[in-house]
Amino acid sequence: MIDYHIHTNRCGHADGEAVDYVRAAINLGLDEIGFNDHLPLRGDSGKELGLAMALNELPDYVNDVMELRKSFPEIRIKLGVEADYTPDTESYTKALLTKHDFDYVTGSVHYIGEWAFDHPGERKKWDNKDVDLVYKEYFELLRKSARTLLFDIIGHCDLVKKFGNRPSHELLDDLEETAKVFKECGVAVEINTSGLRKPVHEIYPSYEILKVYKRFDIPVVFGSDAHTPDEVGRDFDKATTLAAEAGYDEYVTFENRTMKSHKLDSGKSIHC
Ligand SMILES: [Zn+2]
Ligand SMILES: [Zn+2]
Protein backbone atom coordinates (compact mmCIF):
# COMPACT_ATOMS: atom_id res chain seq x y z
CA MET A 1 0.00 0.00 0.00
CA ILE A 2 1.03 3.59 -0.59
CA ASP A 3 0.59 6.84 1.29
CA TYR A 4 1.00 9.75 -1.13
CA HIS A 5 0.11 12.62 1.16
CA ILE A 6 2.73 13.16 3.84
CA HIS A 7 3.74 16.55 5.23
CA THR A 8 6.74 17.47 7.39
CA ASN A 9 7.47 20.12 10.01
CA ARG A 10 8.84 22.40 7.29
CA CYS A 11 5.32 23.63 6.51
CA GLY A 12 5.00 25.22 9.96
CA HIS A 13 1.83 23.37 11.02
CA ALA A 14 3.02 19.74 11.12
CA ASP A 15 5.14 17.87 13.68
CA GLY A 16 8.13 15.67 13.03
CA GLU A 17 11.06 15.54 10.66
CA ALA A 18 10.75 13.75 7.34
CA VAL A 19 12.70 10.79 8.73
CA ASP A 20 10.11 10.26 11.48
CA TYR A 21 7.42 9.83 8.82
CA VAL A 22 9.58 7.32 6.93
CA ARG A 23 10.08 5.27 10.10
CA ALA A 24 6.33 5.33 10.80
CA ALA A 25 5.62 4.10 7.25
CA ILE A 26 8.17 1.28 7.55
CA ASN A 27 6.63 0.22 10.87
CA LEU A 28 3.26 -0.03 9.15
CA GLY A 29 4.68 -2.11 6.32
CA LEU A 30 3.85 0.41 3.58
CA ASP A 31 5.54 -0.32 0.23
CA GLU A 32 5.75 3.26 -0.92
CA ILE A 33 5.26 6.77 0.40
CA GLY A 34 5.27 10.18 -1.18
CA PHE A 35 6.20 13.39 0.55
CA ASN A 36 3.67 15.98 -0.42
CA ASP A 37 4.59 19.05 1.59
CA HIS A 38 3.08 22.45 0.83
CA LEU A 39 4.79 24.30 -2.03
CA PRO A 40 6.03 27.78 -0.97
CA LEU A 41 3.35 30.42 -1.46
CA ARG A 42 3.67 33.28 -3.87
CA GLY A 43 5.22 36.26 -2.12
CA ASP A 44 6.91 33.79 0.23
CA SER A 45 4.42 34.53 3.02
CA GLY A 46 3.74 30.84 3.76
CA LYS A 47 6.30 30.36 6.53
CA GLU A 48 5.19 33.46 8.37
CA LEU A 49 1.55 32.41 8.14
CA GLY A 50 2.33 28.82 9.14
CA LEU A 51 0.94 27.50 5.86
CA ALA A 52 3.96 26.37 3.83
CA MET A 53 7.74 26.09 3.74
CA ALA A 54 9.74 29.19 2.82
CA LEU A 55 10.95 29.53 -0.75
CA ASN A 56 14.59 29.01 0.24
CA GLU A 57 13.68 25.72 1.97
CA LEU A 58 12.43 24.03 -1.18
CA PRO A 59 15.89 22.77 -2.31
CA ASP A 60 16.48 21.39 1.23
CA TYR A 61 13.12 19.61 1.14
CA VAL A 62 14.06 18.00 -2.18
CA ASN A 63 17.52 17.02 -0.87
CA ASP A 64 16.04 15.53 2.31
CA VAL A 65 13.77 13.28 0.28
CA MET A 66 16.68 12.21 -1.96
CA GLU A 67 18.83 11.40 1.07
CA LEU A 68 16.03 9.43 2.74
CA ARG A 69 15.60 7.45 -0.45
CA LYS A 70 19.24 6.34 -0.14
CA SER A 71 19.08 5.71 3.61
CA PHE A 72 15.90 3.59 3.55
CA PRO A 73 16.04 1.24 0.55
CA GLU A 74 13.41 -0.97 2.22
CA ILE A 75 10.66 1.47 1.19
CA ARG A 76 10.12 3.41 -2.03
CA ILE A 77 10.09 7.15 -1.34
CA LYS A 78 8.66 9.53 -3.89
CA LEU A 79 9.10 13.27 -4.19
CA GLY A 80 5.74 14.94 -4.41
CA VAL A 81 4.50 18.39 -3.52
CA GLU A 82 1.08 19.87 -2.72
CA ALA A 83 0.54 23.05 -4.70
CA ASP A 84 -2.31 25.43 -3.96
CA TYR A 85 -4.44 26.22 -6.94
CA THR A 86 -5.79 29.72 -7.36
CA PRO A 87 -6.32 31.21 -10.82
CA ASP A 88 -4.03 34.16 -10.13
CA THR A 89 -1.03 32.10 -8.94
CA GLU A 90 -0.96 29.76 -11.92
CA SER A 91 2.14 31.19 -13.61
CA TYR A 92 4.03 31.44 -10.31
CA THR A 93 3.25 27.77 -9.55
CA LYS A 94 4.17 26.69 -13.04
CA ALA A 95 7.59 28.40 -12.84
CA LEU A 96 8.36 26.94 -9.41
CA LEU A 97 7.40 23.39 -10.37
CA THR A 98 9.93 23.35 -13.21
CA LYS A 99 12.81 23.87 -10.77
CA HIS A 100 12.79 20.32 -9.37
CA ASP A 101 12.17 16.80 -10.64
CA PHE A 102 9.04 15.89 -8.75
CA ASP A 103 7.58 12.41 -9.11
CA TYR A 104 4.12 13.94 -8.87
CA VAL A 105 2.38 17.19 -8.08
CA THR A 106 -0.88 17.33 -6.16
CA GLY A 107 -3.08 20.31 -6.97
CA SER A 108 -5.29 21.42 -4.11
CA VAL A 109 -8.05 23.97 -3.91
CA HIS A 110 -7.95 25.57 -0.46
CA TYR A 111 -9.14 29.04 -1.53
CA ILE A 112 -12.26 30.46 -3.09
CA GLY A 113 -11.15 33.96 -4.02
CA GLU A 114 -9.26 35.20 -0.97
CA TRP A 115 -11.22 32.96 1.42
CA ALA A 116 -9.35 29.96 2.87
CA PHE A 117 -12.63 28.09 3.25
CA ASP A 118 -11.13 25.06 5.04
CA HIS A 119 -9.01 27.03 7.50
CA PRO A 120 -10.38 26.83 11.07
CA GLY A 121 -9.62 30.56 11.51
CA GLU A 122 -11.89 31.36 8.53
CA ARG A 123 -14.70 28.98 9.48
CA LYS A 124 -16.95 31.77 10.80
CA LYS A 125 -17.18 33.19 7.28
CA TRP A 126 -19.32 30.19 6.31
CA ASP A 127 -22.14 31.78 8.36
CA ASN A 128 -22.62 34.49 5.72
CA LYS A 129 -22.24 32.28 2.67
CA ASP A 130 -24.67 30.73 0.25
CA VAL A 131 -23.54 27.11 0.63
CA ASP A 132 -24.92 26.07 -2.77
CA LEU A 133 -22.90 28.83 -4.42
CA VAL A 134 -19.76 27.90 -2.48
CA TYR A 135 -20.05 24.30 -3.75
CA LYS A 136 -20.56 25.54 -7.32
CA GLU A 137 -17.50 27.76 -7.11
CA TYR A 138 -15.46 25.01 -5.50
CA PHE A 139 -16.14 22.46 -8.24
CA GLU A 140 -15.50 25.10 -10.89
CA LEU A 141 -12.08 25.71 -9.31
CA LEU A 142 -11.39 21.96 -9.27
CA ARG A 143 -12.05 21.83 -13.01
CA LYS A 144 -9.90 24.89 -13.61
CA SER A 145 -7.08 23.35 -11.56
CA ALA A 146 -7.13 20.18 -13.69
CA ARG A 147 -7.25 22.20 -16.91
CA THR A 148 -3.94 23.89 -16.08
CA LEU A 149 -2.27 20.49 -16.68
CA LEU A 150 0.15 21.42 -13.89
CA PHE A 151 -1.04 18.61 -11.62
CA ASP A 152 -0.96 14.81 -11.66
CA ILE A 153 -3.31 14.36 -8.73
CA ILE A 154 -6.23 16.47 -7.57
CA GLY A 155 -6.14 16.54 -3.76
CA HIS A 156 -9.02 15.90 -1.33
CA CYS A 157 -11.56 16.72 -4.02
CA ASP A 158 -14.57 17.48 -1.85
CA LEU A 159 -12.68 19.41 0.85
CA VAL A 160 -15.50 21.97 0.77
CA LYS A 161 -17.49 19.64 3.09
CA LYS A 162 -14.82 19.80 5.83
CA PHE A 163 -16.94 21.62 8.43
CA GLY A 164 -20.11 19.73 7.55
CA ASN A 165 -21.75 22.41 5.36
CA ARG A 166 -23.88 20.65 2.77
CA PRO A 167 -25.59 21.85 -0.41
CA SER A 168 -29.39 21.84 -0.59
CA HIS A 169 -29.55 19.77 -3.77
CA GLU A 170 -27.88 16.87 -5.58
CA LEU A 171 -24.62 17.76 -7.27
CA LEU A 172 -24.66 15.13 -9.96
CA ASP A 173 -24.34 17.52 -12.94
CA ASP A 174 -21.41 19.32 -11.38
CA LEU A 175 -19.75 16.06 -10.39
CA GLU A 176 -20.12 14.55 -13.84
CA GLU A 177 -18.81 17.68 -15.49
CA THR A 178 -15.86 17.65 -13.10
CA ALA A 179 -15.16 13.95 -13.71
CA LYS A 180 -15.27 14.56 -17.45
CA VAL A 181 -12.66 17.32 -17.17
CA PHE A 182 -10.47 15.14 -14.91
CA LYS A 183 -10.63 12.39 -17.52
CA GLU A 184 -9.75 14.73 -20.38
CA CYS A 185 -6.83 16.17 -18.42
CA GLY A 186 -5.51 12.76 -17.34
CA VAL A 187 -5.39 13.49 -13.60
CA ALA A 188 -5.82 11.03 -10.76
CA VAL A 189 -7.81 11.81 -7.63
CA GLU A 190 -6.82 11.16 -4.08
CA ILE A 191 -8.69 9.11 -1.51
CA ASN A 192 -7.69 11.18 1.50
CA THR A 193 -8.49 9.88 4.98
CA SER A 194 -7.91 13.17 6.83
CA GLY A 195 -11.61 14.06 6.53
CA LEU A 196 -12.27 11.35 9.14
CA ARG A 197 -10.27 13.46 11.59
CA LYS A 198 -12.17 16.66 10.75
CA PRO A 199 -15.69 17.84 11.78
CA VAL A 200 -17.28 16.14 8.74
CA HIS A 201 -15.90 12.70 9.82
CA GLU A 202 -15.84 11.46 6.25
CA ILE A 203 -13.15 10.45 3.79
CA TYR A 204 -12.49 12.87 0.88
CA PRO A 205 -14.19 12.23 -1.48
CA SER A 206 -17.46 10.66 -0.38
CA TYR A 207 -18.66 7.28 -1.64
CA GLU A 208 -21.19 9.01 -3.94
CA ILE A 209 -18.52 11.15 -5.55
CA LEU A 210 -16.04 8.31 -5.85
CA LYS A 211 -18.66 6.25 -7.69
CA VAL A 212 -18.97 9.05 -10.26
CA TYR A 213 -15.18 9.16 -10.69
CA LYS A 214 -15.12 5.40 -11.13
CA ARG A 215 -17.79 5.66 -13.81
CA PHE A 216 -15.48 8.04 -15.69
CA ASP A 217 -12.50 5.77 -15.00
CA ILE A 218 -10.49 8.35 -13.03
CA PRO A 219 -7.46 6.69 -11.37
CA VAL A 220 -6.99 6.91 -7.60
CA VAL A 221 -4.11 7.22 -5.15
CA PHE A 222 -4.28 6.94 -1.36
CA GLY A 223 -3.20 9.63 1.10
CA SER A 224 -3.46 10.22 4.84
CA ASP A 225 -2.58 13.95 4.74
CA ALA A 226 -0.36 13.14 7.74
CA HIS A 227 0.74 16.19 9.69
CA THR A 228 2.15 14.01 12.51
CA PRO A 229 4.10 10.76 12.03
CA ASP A 230 1.39 8.71 13.76
CA GLU A 231 -1.11 9.80 11.09
CA VAL A 232 0.78 7.98 8.32
CA GLY A 233 -1.45 5.32 6.79
CA ARG A 234 -4.28 6.28 9.17
CA ASP A 235 -7.64 4.64 8.38
CA PHE A 236 -6.35 3.02 5.19
CA ASP A 237 -8.49 -0.06 5.85
CA LYS A 238 -11.49 2.26 5.48
CA ALA A 239 -9.99 3.92 2.40
CA THR A 240 -9.37 0.66 0.56
CA THR A 241 -12.82 -0.63 1.49
CA LEU A 242 -14.38 2.59 0.18
CA ALA A 243 -12.42 2.27 -3.08
CA ALA A 244 -13.46 -1.34 -3.54
CA GLU A 245 -17.11 -0.54 -2.78
CA ALA A 246 -17.03 2.22 -5.38
CA GLY A 247 -15.80 -0.36 -7.89
CA TYR A 248 -12.06 0.28 -7.94
CA ASP A 249 -9.72 -2.70 -8.30
CA GLU A 250 -6.63 -0.65 -9.16
CA TYR A 251 -4.73 2.34 -7.84
CA VAL A 252 -1.84 4.27 -9.35
CA THR A 253 1.62 5.46 -8.42
CA PHE A 254 3.88 8.04 -10.08
CA GLU A 255 7.53 8.20 -11.02
CA ASN A 256 8.95 11.22 -12.85
CA ARG A 257 5.36 12.35 -13.42
CA THR A 258 4.44 9.10 -15.17
CA MET A 259 1.49 7.10 -13.90
CA LYS A 260 1.55 3.36 -13.31
CA SER A 261 -1.37 1.09 -12.30
CA HIS A 262 -1.36 -1.55 -9.59
CA LYS A 263 -3.84 -4.13 -8.44
CA LEU A 264 -5.78 -3.03 -5.37
CA ASP A 265 -5.92 -5.76 -2.78
CA SER A 266 -8.53 -4.36 -0.45
CA GLY A 267 -8.32 -7.52 1.72
CA LYS A 268 -4.72 -6.76 2.63
CA SER A 269 -5.17 -4.09 5.23
CA ILE A 270 -2.34 -2.54 7.16
CA HIS A 271 -2.39 -2.47 10.91
CA CYS A 272 -2.69 0.97 12.32
ZN1 LIG B 1 -0.96 21.10 5.76
ZN1 LIG C 1 -4.54 20.15 1.35
Side-chain angles (χ1 to χ4, degrees), residues 43-250:
D44 207 14
S45 58
K47 195 73 180 184
E48 203 179 305
L49 298 169
L51 294 173
M53 68 182 93
L55 193 56
N56 64 12
E57 288 180 283
L58 185 58
D60 301 334
Y61 167 68
V62 172
N63 285 339
D64 277 0
V65 175
M66 294 306 151
E67 287 301 315
L68 288 167
R69 197 178 271 176
K70 283 188 225 151
S71 308
F72 294 92
E74 61 269 53
I75 186 166
R76 290 188 299 277
I77 301 176
K78 296 292 172 64
L79 176 65
V81 75
E82 181 177 20
D84 279 296
Y85 172 72
T86 62
D88 61 340
T89 51
E90 207 176 305
S91 53
Y92 160 79
T93 303
K94 186 175 184 177
L96 199 50
L97 291 177
T98 58
K99 291 192 190 299
H100 298 282
D101 294 326
F102 295 105
D103 285 307
Y104 62 90
V105 178
T106 301
S108 291
V109 173
H110 297 113
Y111 293 89
I112 296 173
E114 298 286 301
W115 179 36
F117 63 85
D118 80 311
H119 195 286
E122 305 256 300
R123 185 176 177 177
K124 266 225 111 3
K125 293 189 179 166
W126 275 97
D127 296 348
N128 305 315
K129 299 284 179 185
D130 174 342
V131 174
D132 289 347
L133 191 63
V134 172
Y135 269 75
K136 268 221 151 326
E137 289 174 335
Y138 174 76
F139 282 102
E140 179 60 35
L141 286 167
L142 282 188
R143 293 191 286 274
K144 279 189 176 165
S145 72
R147 285 197 191 104
T148 64
L149 304 180
L150 292 176
F151 311 122
D152 306 291
I153 302 166
I154 303 299
H156 41 57
C157 48
D158 63 352
L159 180 67
V160 67
K161 72 181 176 186
K162 177 174 175 176
F163 297 123
N165 304 86
R166 301 286 191 180
S168 64
H169 58 278
E170 287 293 312
L171 295 169
L172 197 59
D173 287 353
D174 254 321
L175 295 176
E176 287 184 339
E177 201 186 327
T178 305
K180 206 169 129 219
V181 171
F182 285 179
K183 184 70 193 169
E184 281 163 14
C185 299
V187 293
V189 295
E190 163 186 73
I191 298 180
N192 179 316
T193 57
S194 73
L196 291 167
R197 312 191 294 272
K198 298 291 160 30
V200 70
H201 297 303
E202 229 182 68
I203 287 175
Y204 307 119
S206 67
Y207 173 63
E208 287 71 26
I209 297 182
L210 200 55
K211 271 197 307 187
V212 176
Y213 291 149
K214 173 61 191 149
R215 196 146 49 76
F216 283 78
D217 209 17
I218 313 296
V220 290
V221 301
F222 293 94
S224 63
D225 219 334
H227 282 76
T228 59
D230 69 329
E231 288 175 347
V232 172
R234 183 74 69 87
D235 293 313
F236 272 25
D237 49 345
K238 292 180 183 132
T240 51
T241 301
L242 184 78
E245 284 175 0
Y248 280 94
D249 56 8
E250 286 185 340

Side-chain angles (χ1 to χ4, degrees), residues 32-48:
E32 179 166 332
I33 56 168
F35 282 97
N36 202 33
D37 221 344
H38 298 280
L39 192 73
L41 301 185
R42 188 177 64 171
D44 207 14
S45 58
K47 195 73 180 184
E48 203 179 305

